Amino acid sequence: MKRTLQKTLLCVTAVLALASVSCAKKADSAAAGEKKPITLTVFTEAARQQPNADNKVYKYLQEKLGVTFEWDILVGEIAQKRGVMIAGGDYPDLIQINETQFIDAGALIPLEDLVEKYAPNVKAHFGDQWEKLRSPDGHIYYLTNWGITRNKDQSPYYGASAMWIQKEILKEAGYPKIKTMDQYFDLIIDYAKKHPTINGQKTIPFTILTYDWHAFCMWNPPNFLAGNPNDGNGVVDPKTHAYKTFFTQDMSKRWFKKLNELNALGFVDKASFTDNYDQYLAKIASGRVLGIHDQRWQFQTADDALRDSGEYNRTMAPLPIVFDENIKPRYRDVPVPNLGRGVGISVKAKDPVRIVQFLNDLMSEEVQRTIEWGIEGEDWQRNDKGEPYRTPEQRANWDNVTWQEQNRALLIRDVFPTWEGSFNDGYPADLVNYYPEREALARPEDKELWAAYGVTSNAELMDKNPPPNDIWYPTWNLPNPPDGSDAQIALQRCDQTMRKYLPKVILASPAEFEGVWAEYAAQMKANGIEIYEAYMQDQVSKRIAAWSAK
C-alpha cells in the first residue's frame, strides 16, 4: 500500500512538474512575445553624428534587444526647437531633457509605476538615489543619464570645472607649482610673449565661451576662485544655509577686474564675445589657445582633435586655481546624480511598456558592458587568467574619435542611464580605467606632468581626496523657476544683463571699469535678483528637508 502510494505521488509530482515546465515555457513565450521589435524615435541635444547603418553596437542592440532607433539630433537653438515641439504637441517616443520645460508642458509621462512593474534593473541602478529623481509633484518623469556610481569609482578622469592650461606651457616652464589666479595668468602671459604665433596663427592667451547657454563659462569662475563648490549661480552658507548669488559680489568684481586688465594688455580674445560654439572649439583645436575656464565635456572634442593630429602637447591640463594662497580649492566633488538632465517617455510614445522593458534590458550588466567595452572578441578579450585587455590596435581604435563615432553607441551613452563605477565582477565600467589599460594608454606627456606634481591622474591633480558633499549639493540641479514666475522673469532679466554688460566690463578701458561695474550691479539689483534668490532659498530649504535622514 505504501509502495503504491509512493508511485502515485511520484506520478502526480511528475505531472505537476511537467505542467510547471509547460506553464513556465508559456510564461517565457508570453514575456518574449511582449518584447516585440520596435523602432524608437528619440530627440537629443547631444552634439553627435547620426550613427552609420552598419554600426556594430547598434546592430547588437537590434539583435539582442529588438530595438532600433531614429534620432532627431538638435540643430540650432534648443529653445526654438523645444518651443516648436511643445506648441505642436508633436513629440517622439523619447525626449532628452536638461530643463523642466517639457515636464511643465505635460510632454512626459510618469515613470515610477512602469519602472516598478517592468524594470527592476533600472530601479537597482538608481538604488538609494531613486527618490531624488522625483519632481515637486511627486512623480518621476525622466531617468538621469550620468552620475550614478555603482560599486567602486575607479575613474581617473576629470571633466568638471577648472582653470585649464595648455600642457606645453607647464612643460616649458618646468612644471611650476602655481595656485593663484595671478600666478596662472603670469605663466600664460610669459608663454604668449615668447610664442606670439603657434602653427602659423596668432596665439590666443585666454578665450572665453560666451555663446548661448554655455555663457556660464564667463561668470562662474569667481565662485571657484573663491574656494566654493559648484553650486550653480550661488553660494550656500554652510552654517546658516542662506543662499545668495555671486554675480555682483566682490569675488565677481575681482575676476572681471582681472579680465579687464588683461584685455587692456591684449591678452583676452576679443572674438570671445562674437564667436559661436563651433568657432570656440575650432580655436582650441588649432592649438593656439593657452588658457580657458570650462568643463572638459564642453571642449573634449577639440582636445581629441589635437590628440588625433599629433599635437597632444597642446591639449589642456586642469588646475585648481584660487584667488589667494590661503584658499582651499573646492573644484572636484564626490560624484553626484546628474539631476535635471536625462531621458523621459513622451505622452505620444507608441508603447510605453515596451520602452520601459527596453530600458530594463539596457541596464543589464551584459548590455552595459558591451556598450562600455565594445564587442568581446573584436574590441577586447580576456587572457588566460580571465582578465580583460585590449591589443595596441584595439586601444588605438578606442582612442580615435572617428572610429568611436562609427563603432560605438555614443548617443545611447549620452542620452540613456549609464553604468558608472564598477561592474559586479570588480572591473571598471569603463575598461580604460582598468589599471593595466590605464598604464598602457597613458601618454608620455601626461605621465611626465603627473609625476612632476606627484599625482597619477587629472582627477588627483584637482584634488586627491575631495571632501564629502554637503546635503543640499549641488544646487545647479535644482528646478529652474517656473516659466512666467517672478523669479523666472528676474533670472531671465539678469541673464540678459550679464550677457550685455559683462563683455562691456571686460572690454572697457581700466579707467572706466568702476563706472561700468557700478552700472551693471545697479541693473542687476533693478532686475530683482533678490526675487530669484528667495526662490532658490526656498528650493535649498526643501531639499535639505527632503534629503535629511528621517
Side-chain angles (χ1 to χ4, degrees):
M1 180 66 182
K2 186 176 181 181
R3 184 172 296 176
T4 302
L5 179 60
Q6 286 176 332
K7 286 181 177 179
T8 303
L9 288 173
L10 284 171
C11 289
V12 170
T13 301
V15 170
L16 290 174
L18 287 170
S20 177
V21 170
S22 176
C23 289
K25 285 184 175 178
K26 286 180 179 177
D28 288 346
S29 298
E34 292 171 0
K35 294 183 180 181
K36 59 188 177 186
I38 189 170
T39 296
L40 299 179
T41 54
V42 189
F43 168 70
T44 175
E45 302 174 28
R48 296 285 183 193
Q49 302 170 6
Q50 288 286 351
N52 295 346
D54 59 351
N55 183 300
K56 59 187 178 185
V57 177
Y58 285 105
K59 282 188 172 180
Y60 163 85
L61 293 173
Q62 183 177 9
E63 294 168 1
K64 179 77 177 179
L65 309 184
V67 178
T68 54
F69 300 89
E70 292 181 0
W71 299 96
D72 180 4
I73 300 174
L74 175 67
V75 176
E77 303 287 345
I78 176 60
Q80 182 179 10
K81 172 70 175 182
R82 186 171 53 216
V84 170
M85 292 172 70
I86 290 174
D90 186 16
Y91 305 118
D93 295 309
L94 292 140
I95 303 174
Q96 183 186 12
I97 69 165
N98 67 12
E99 294 180 87
T100 62
Q101 284 89 340
F102 283 118
I103 298 174
D104 298 339
L108 304 178
I109 64 171
L111 300 178
E112 61 272 12
D113 290 344
L114 286 169
V115 169
E116 196 71 46
K117 188 172 183 179
Y118 298 105
N121 290 340
V122 172
K123 193 73 183 296
H125 174 71
F126 287 96
D128 60 3
Q129 303 296 305
W130 178 248
E131 292 300 318
K132 293 183 177 179
L133 301 182
R134 293 191 184 278
S135 293
D137 67 0
H139 288 301
I140 294 174
Y141 292 101
Y142 65 93
L143 303 176
T144 191
N145 49 0
W146 292 98
I148 302 297
T149 302
R150 303 184 65 170
N151 303 314
K152 183 181 178 182
D153 179 18
Q154 301 182 57
S155 174
Y157 177 80
Y158 184 78
S161 292
M163 297 296 287
W164 299 81
I165 191 168
Q166 219 182 69
K167 293 168 185 169
E168 183 63 22
I169 301 174
L170 296 175
K171 178 182 178 65
E172 184 173 293
Y175 298 109
K177 296 189 183 306
I178 56 174
K179 184 173 181 180
T180 70
M181 176 181 70
D182 289 337
Q183 292 168 346
Y184 170 84
F185 281 117
D186 287 348
L187 195 62
I188 284 177
I189 290 170
D190 286 346
Y191 188 88
K193 287 179 177 177
K194 292 177 185 174
H195 305 276
T197 62
I198 295 175
N199 295 332
Q201 294 182 288
K202 186 178 179 180
T203 298
I204 300 174
F206 192 77
T207 193
I208 309 167
L209 178 56
T210 67
Y211 182 71
D212 199 33
W213 60 269
H214 308 275
F216 66 83
C217 292
M218 178 166 56
W219 52 70
N220 274 7
N223 182 53
F224 296 102
L225 293 167
N228 297 312
N230 185 8
D231 264 320
N233 293 333
V235 179
V236 179
D237 186 300
K239 294 181 180 178
T240 67
H241 299 164
Y243 178 93
K244 189 171 181 59
T245 59
F246 52 78
F247 298 140
T248 57
Q249 290 189 32
D250 289 346
M251 67 174 92
S252 291
K253 184 176 180 181
R254 184 174 178 181
W255 166 245
F256 285 102
K257 185 170 179 59
K258 183 68 179 181
L259 292 181
N260 174 269
E261 294 169 355
L262 291 170
N263 175 68
L265 297 172
F267 295 115
V268 172
D269 177 27
K270 287 183 170 54
S272 298
F273 311 109
T274 54
D275 282 351
N276 61 28
Y277 184 45
D278 289 339
Q279 290 168 315
Y280 169 78
L281 293 177
K283 286 186 292 190
I284 297 174
S286 72
R288 61 196 181 104
V289 174
L290 305 185
I292 53 174
H293 172 95
D294 204 343
Q295 300 191 14
R296 188 166 188 266
W297 55 270
Q298 289 214 106
F299 68 91
Q300 182 165 344
T301 55
D303 246 8
D304 290 346
L306 283 166
R307 176 199 62 195
D308 294 345
S309 66
E311 294 187 278
Y312 195 72
N313 61 320
R314 300 216 176 272
T315 59
M316 296 285 181
L319 292 177
I321 299 297
V322 288
F323 279 128
D324 302 305
E325 292 273 3
N326 62 350
I327 296 174
K328 179 175 173 51
R330 288 291 305 272
Y331 285 85
R332 187 183 177 197
D333 55 20
V334 176
V336 295
N338 192 18
L339 299 180
R341 301 186 181 192
V343 64
I345 299 176
S346 84
V347 293
K348 296 294 181 68
K350 61 180 77 72
D351 191 342
V353 170
R354 179 67 182 90
I355 294 173
V356 172
Q357 289 174 330
F358 152 69
L359 292 169
N360 186 63
D361 293 340
L362 181 70
M363 295 315 298
S364 72
E365 190 162 347
E366 178 186 349
V367 174
Q368 285 291 304
R369 196 187 301 270
T370 301
I371 290 173
E372 292 298 314
W373 291 14
I375 305 293
E376 184 173 4
E378 294 183 31
D379 303 318
W380 64 280
Q381 51 281 313
R382 296 184 187 273
N383 61 21
D384 294 341
K385 299 178 182 177
E387 299 165 336
Y389 73 98
R390 289 194 173 111
T391 65
E393 181 182 0
Q394 290 168 339
R395 291 174 189 138
N397 286 339
W398 215 254
D399 218 16
N400 185 289
V401 175
T402 303
W403 185 92
Q404 288 207 31
E405 288 284 354
Q406 295 173 347
N407 293 277
R408 298 191 62 193
L410 296 180
L411 280 167
I412 295 288
R413 293 184 74 246
D414 289 344
V415 174
F416 294 98
T418 299
W419 194 308
E420 297 174 71
S422 306
F423 290 119
N424 290 329
D425 58 10
Y427 290 110
D430 188 339
L431 187 54
V432 300
N433 294 336
Y434 182 41
Y435 190 75
E437 286 299 308
R438 282 178 56 182
E439 282 297 290
L441 282 167
R443 304 267 175 173
E445 295 90 342
D446 285 333
K447 287 184 176 180
E448 182 178 305
L449 186 151
W450 294 336
Y453 292 111
V455 298
T456 62
S457 67
N458 279 349
E460 288 189 0
L461 190 61
M462 294 302 291
D463 195 336
K464 283 187 176 180
N465 296 296
N469 298 325
D470 292 308
I471 190 170
W472 61 83
Y473 184 84
T475 65
W476 56 258
N477 60 22
L478 283 169
N480 289 326
D483 284 349
S485 66
D486 291 343
Q488 187 267 337
I489 293 171
L491 179 62
Q492 187 177 38
R493 287 174 176 166
C494 288
D495 183 90
Q496 293 169 349
T497 297
M498 290 191 288
R499 292 176 190 277
K500 176 182 177 182
Y501 273 92
L502 293 179
K504 293 171 65 175
V505 167
I506 296 169
L507 297 175
S509 70
E512 296 172 328
F513 174 83
E514 290 293 342
V516 180
W517 180 263
E519 191 177 339
Y520 157 73
Q523 186 60 55
M524 291 291 281
K525 184 175 178 59
N527 291 336
I529 186 66
E530 70 278 4
I531 299 174
Y532 169 71
E533 291 174 338
Y535 167 83
M536 289 300 295
Q537 183 65 69
D538 181 57
Q539 294 295 314
V540 170
S541 299
K542 287 178 178 174
R543 173 171 284 186
I544 291 173
W547 290 6
S548 295
K550 305 298 182 187

